[in-house]
């Protein structure tokens, strides 16, 4: 028997023009450069027959409505040229972002309500092709010191069938090599700064040394097994995160005052050094909660939970800028 390998996994993803209709992604145009991939190919709501018979023993279960669950990581990097869509843009759109391009300047990914976009995903697993249609998901953003900048996606999709198939050669040139999150490559966490879209830059504010930031988009995903119209819906989101800061004693007192007063402030971070290969995370209104003291190699640091809130205009609690 031939050995099959997890490494022989490939993912294709393409925005659907009609929800739940296979958009037929191709290896040449829609391949995704991934790591840490998993699939649950049939999450079924099985129905027990529970038959009454004159002897003990189980009844078979009927395979009921079912969906597919997928997760994988994608490196958070620039597009190679300012104003160009990021290669992972379709995945962000299926998580509730809208892609806005400004030629030669930036690509912005802003949140939207309701979520209209979805992707078809082909998941090749060493000789087997799983098709998931109408996929919508959620994403975590990891900018942790000394690590790769990552987008960690989780999708639910409609079961589109399984066949014995392998992909042809993948075209992955749109995915650029990221820089490690480090002092030379990444700025301080900036509190109270202002985002200027035309540049794009963060100006003003106060920077603090940190271990980076981890964010969770917090989409509420639900498979809806309706007769004649099954779907995956995003019904709510709650963007949260965690930070660990290197603070002076005076800084700690100030931050504790901020927490107790329920103060809202902006928070942003820039990553990258060369135009076309930069990314920015912008949170215009965050609340710090649950302060904790952390031992980092003997150094005393302060951790906080981060709650990201929309402003009065809404759909703006998290912005990703590729530039």
């Amino acid at each position: 028997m031939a050995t099959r390998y997890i490494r022989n996994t490939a993912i294709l993803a393409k925005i659907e023009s009609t929800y739940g209709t296979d958009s037929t992604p191709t290896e040449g145009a829609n391949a995704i450069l991934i790591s840490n991939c998993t699939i649950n190919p049939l999450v079924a709501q099985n129905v027990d027959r529970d038959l009454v018979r004159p002897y003990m023993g189980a009844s078979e279960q009927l395979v009921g409505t079912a969906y597919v669950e997928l997760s994988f990581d994608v490196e958070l990097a620039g597009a190679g040229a300012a104003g160009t869509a990021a290669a992972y843009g379709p995945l962000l759109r299926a998580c509730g972002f809208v892609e806005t391009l400004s030629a030669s300047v930036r690509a912005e990914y802003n949140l939207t309500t309701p979520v209209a976009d979805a992707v078809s995903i082909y998941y090749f697993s060493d000789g087997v092709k799983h098709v998931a249609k109408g996929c919508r998901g959620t994403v975590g953003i990891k900018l942790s010191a000394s690590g790769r900048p990552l987008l960690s996606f989780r999708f639910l999709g409609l079961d589109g069938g399984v066949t014995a198939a392998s992909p042809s050669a993948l075209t992955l040139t749109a995915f650029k090599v990221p820089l490690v999150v480090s002092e030379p490559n990444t700025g301080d966490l900036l509190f109270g700064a202002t985002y200027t879209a035309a540049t794009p830059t963060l100006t003003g504010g106060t920077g603090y040394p940190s271990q980076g930031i981890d964010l969770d988009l917090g989409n509420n995903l639900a498979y809806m097994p309706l007769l004649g119209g099954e779907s995956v819906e995003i019904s709510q989101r709650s963007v949260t995160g965690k930070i660990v800061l290197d603070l002076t004693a005076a800084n700690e007192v100030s931050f504790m005052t901020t927490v107790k007063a329920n103060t809202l402030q902006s928070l942003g971070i820039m990553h990258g050094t060369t135009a076309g290969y930069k990314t920015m995370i912008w949170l215009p209104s965050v609340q710090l909660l649950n302060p904790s003291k952390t031992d980092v190699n003997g150094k005393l640091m302060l951790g906080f939970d981060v709650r990201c809130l929309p402003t009065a205009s809404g759909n703006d609690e998290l912005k990703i800028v590729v530039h």
Side-chain angles (χ1 to χ4, degrees), residues 132 159 180 241 250 290:
D159 180 18
V180 168
N290 303 322

Side-chain angles (χ1 to χ4, degrees), residues 15 38 42 92 108 110 117 126 137 143-144 146 156-157 165 204 212 216 239 251 254 270 277 293 297 301 309 312 318:
I15 292 288
T38 62
L42 194 69
L92 290 177
E108 279 191 359
N110 298 291
D117 285 332
D126 203 350
L143 281 169
S144 300
S146 302
L156 304 185
D216 180 2
V239 184
N251 291 153
S254 177
M270 298 277 292
Y277 296 85
K293 301 204 177 191
N297 296 323
M301 299 184 71
L309 308 173
L318 168 61

Side-chain angles (χ1 to χ4, degrees), residues 41-193:
L42 194 69
V43 184
Q45 300 173 13
N46 295 333
V47 179
D48 198 330
R49 294 186 69 194
D50 198 20
L51 299 175
V52 176
R53 296 174 292 200
Y55 48 84
M56 290 186 288
S59 303
E60 71 268 32
Q61 291 186 330
L62 305 177
V63 176
T65 54
Y67 60 92
V68 181
E69 183 176 12
L70 317 97
S71 64
F72 49 87
D73 292 344
V74 176
E75 292 171 332
L76 176 62
T84 302
Y88 44 80
L91 302 175
L92 290 177
R93 289 173 59 184
C95 291
F97 289 86
V98 173
E99 180 180 80
T100 303
L101 304 180
S102 298
S104 303
V105 180
R106 68 190 181 280
E108 279 191 359
Y109 294 89
N110 298 291
L111 294 169
T112 186
T113 304
V115 178
D117 285 332
V119 288
S120 292
I121 296 178
Y122 291 179
Y123 188 109
F124 291 92
S125 178
D126 203 350
V128 174
K129 174 185 175 183
H130 301 269
V131 175
K133 303 177 297 180
C135 295
R136 292 188 174 123
T138 190
V139 63
I141 304 171
K142 302 178 186 299
L143 281 169
S144 300
S146 302
R148 292 182 299 159
L150 289 174
L151 298 169
S152 294
F153 291 98
R154 173 177 170 263
F155 286 99
L156 304 185
L158 312 181
D159 180 18
V162 182
T163 56
S166 297
S168 58
L170 305 179
T171 300
L172 297 166
T173 52
F175 290 87
K176 305 307 177 184
V177 178
L179 295 172
V180 168
V181 181
S182 67
E183 175 66 21
N185 302 328
T186 315
D188 289 344
L189 281 177
L190 278 176
F191 287 84

